[in-house]
Amino acid sequence: MAGTTLVVSHQLRQGIPVLDGFYDAPDAVPDEPGQLLRVEPYGGDLPPGLEAHRILYTTTADDGVPALASGVVAVPAEPTGPVPLIAWAHGTVGVARACAPSLGRDAISTEGMPAMDALARNGWGMVATDYTGQGTEGDFPYLIGQGEGRSVLDAVRAVHQVAELDVSPETVIWGHSQGGHAALWAGQLAPTYAPDVAVVGIAALSAASDPLALAQVVTAHPGALGASLGISFVVAAYSRWYPDISLDDVTPAARTLVREAAARCTSEPGSLVTVLTGVAVSADTPILRTDPATGAIGRRLRENVALGPWQAPLFLGQGGADEVIVPRLQDDYVSRLCAAGRPLLYTKYPGRSHMGVLEPDSPLNADLEQWTQDRLAGLPQATTCP
């Protein structure tokens, strides 16, 4: 959500997948989070050398609120020993149930994901959560840190229960855009929520790290292509998650737009119509009634900024030409963490856009692979904080 485009991690593609019975809750569901409920082969387009399964598992939406989530786990087809796990947190694909990446063919693929050739080469596996509310029933936690982070961590727990997999304890978390926000929260929550998950590194790439600052940039440029869709995703998700936020916070003229956006996935061609409609609506009236920094929305956005601490090493990667998460927002966030005494490694990639930072020729790929190797080897991480 920024001055020129929408926070999306997938291009607009033709059609959306159709939900099937895999995602339905079984008759008996344990209360404990991270319990594997169902597993079956996944037939998507995988990076070379991998094989994969869909998983259904228990998680926690918020304190004391049980939920279900789904995802995909991919491992080397010919492992040479226990497989270290990368926990992938995906970026924006919409907020509707049918938007789950595991419903399609690219939940774990070379499209819009970094360093995918490194998985088989290094003997790493990857689990990619859909988060709760995509695939499964429930409310989708769009830029809501507790729900995102818990879905990520419980996916790791569930993978360790897949009988045919030999998974080592070490986990490294990667996430991009919305998923970068999820990665920050998963790493922050791990010591208290999932101390049994051995997180040894957190990589937040082009991260929507500060939802409040992001919302302020977007609302300052309401006519930007996709801005209204991003705002609609936030308002729709927050109104379902938080009792003090509702569609009453949206101007009456924009409520139909918000409802329509919340029902669409970025993969379906109808999203483009919604984007263009949003530009037209925003020309006459703002989406939100008030400044997003004020009231309940401001309070909730503020509480979803991850400020640590993180027990595992933290890496933030940022494209220098990112048109979605503009670099100054990430610079400000990093400065805030450094001032609070949070050690981290911050690397900027000149000329790289929001998605371009993940392209095969991006230097981020080699950096991420080496950084992950170092984390799994237990090496110390240097900090770029003063």
Side-chain angles (χ1 to χ4, degrees):
M1 293 185 306
T4 59
T5 191
L6 164 71
V7 185
V8 293
S9 290
H10 288 63
Q11 297 174 347
L12 295 175
R13 297 185 298 276
Q14 293 296 316
I16 59 171
V18 177
L19 283 161
D20 59 62
F22 180 84
Y23 300 90
D24 294 339
D27 293 336
V29 178
D31 293 332
E32 186 179 358
Q35 296 302 299
L36 180 69
L37 301 178
R38 193 173 291 149
V39 60
E40 71 175 28
Y42 173 73
D45 298 324
L46 298 169
L50 301 181
E51 59 185 23
H53 293 80
R54 285 198 296 185
I55 59 171
L56 182 74
Y57 61 95
T58 60
T59 185
T60 311
D62 205 347
D63 289 335
V65 181
L68 299 182
S70 53
V72 170
V73 55
V75 297
E78 298 181 0
T80 57
V83 175
L85 204 59
I86 309 298
W88 170 252
H90 73 72
T92 300
V93 294
V95 297
R97 184 180 177 187
C99 302
S102 71
L103 279 164
R105 299 193 60 81
D106 58 350
I108 296 178
S109 76
T110 55
E111 181 180 347
M113 297 175 69
M116 287 295 99
D117 59 343
L119 297 178
R121 180 169 59 244
N122 289 282
W124 301 338
M126 174 174 279
V127 60
T129 182
D130 296 322
Y131 313 115
T132 189
Q134 286 194 341
T136 60
E137 293 183 355
D139 295 327
F140 179 66
Y142 186 68
L143 296 183
I144 297 171
Q146 291 282 345
E148 292 171 333
R150 294 176 185 199
S151 291
V152 171
L153 295 168
D154 285 325
V156 175
R157 287 166 153 168
V159 168
H160 283 270
Q161 299 161 44
V162 179
E164 57 265 41
L165 301 186
D166 184 10
V167 182
S168 68
E170 296 84 10
T171 296
V172 178
I173 302 170
W174 296 355
H176 177 257
S177 197
Q178 179 207 346
H181 181 260
L184 291 166
W185 273 93
Q188 177 176 279
L189 292 171
T192 53
Y193 177 74
D196 51 310
V197 176
V199 176
V200 298
I202 305 117
L205 315 174
S206 309
S209 48
D210 188 336
L212 176 59
L214 206 50
Q216 289 175 299
V217 169
V218 171
T219 53
H221 302 84
L225 190 64
S228 59
L229 196 58
I231 296 169
S232 297
F233 287 163
V234 170
V235 175
Y238 277 44
S239 66
R240 295 167 182 169
W241 201 274
Y242 298 119
D244 51 357
I245 297 175
S246 73
L247 290 189
D248 289 341
D249 295 298
V250 177
T251 54
R255 288 174 192 169
T256 298
L257 170 70
V258 170
R259 292 190 185 95
E260 182 177 306
R264 294 193 182 279
C265 307
T266 59
S267 60
E268 58 181 299
S271 286
L272 182 57
V273 176
T274 305
V275 167
L276 297 176
T277 302
V279 172
V281 170
S282 299
D284 299 321
T285 183
I287 302 295
L288 297 177
R289 285 180 174 272
T290 61
D291 182 337
T294 63
I297 289 179
R299 182 170 61 254
R300 295 302 188 178
L301 288 167
R302 194 172 287 109
E303 73 183 37
N304 279 294
V305 181
L307 298 175
W310 293 272
Q311 290 186 2
L314 176 61
F315 166 57
L316 284 95
Q318 173 68 34
D322 196 318
E323 74 286 8
V324 176
I325 312 297
V326 291
R328 71 170 176 82
L329 293 184
Q330 209 70 274
D331 295 347
D332 291 346
Y333 176 70
V334 167
S335 295
R336 186 176 179 184
L337 295 186
C338 289
R342 312 294 191 217
L344 56 89
L345 175 64
Y346 181 39
T347 303
K348 293 173 77 171
Y349 298 91
R352 291 290 170 173
S353 66
H354 191 63
M355 296 306 299
V357 79
L358 305 180
E359 291 295 325
D361 64 345
S362 171
L364 176 140
N365 293 290
D367 289 353
L368 183 61
E369 181 177 5
Q370 184 62 61
W371 176 86
T372 302
Q373 289 172 340
D374 291 346
R375 302 291 72 75
L376 292 170
L379 299 178
Q381 174 180 273
T383 179
T384 49
C385 289

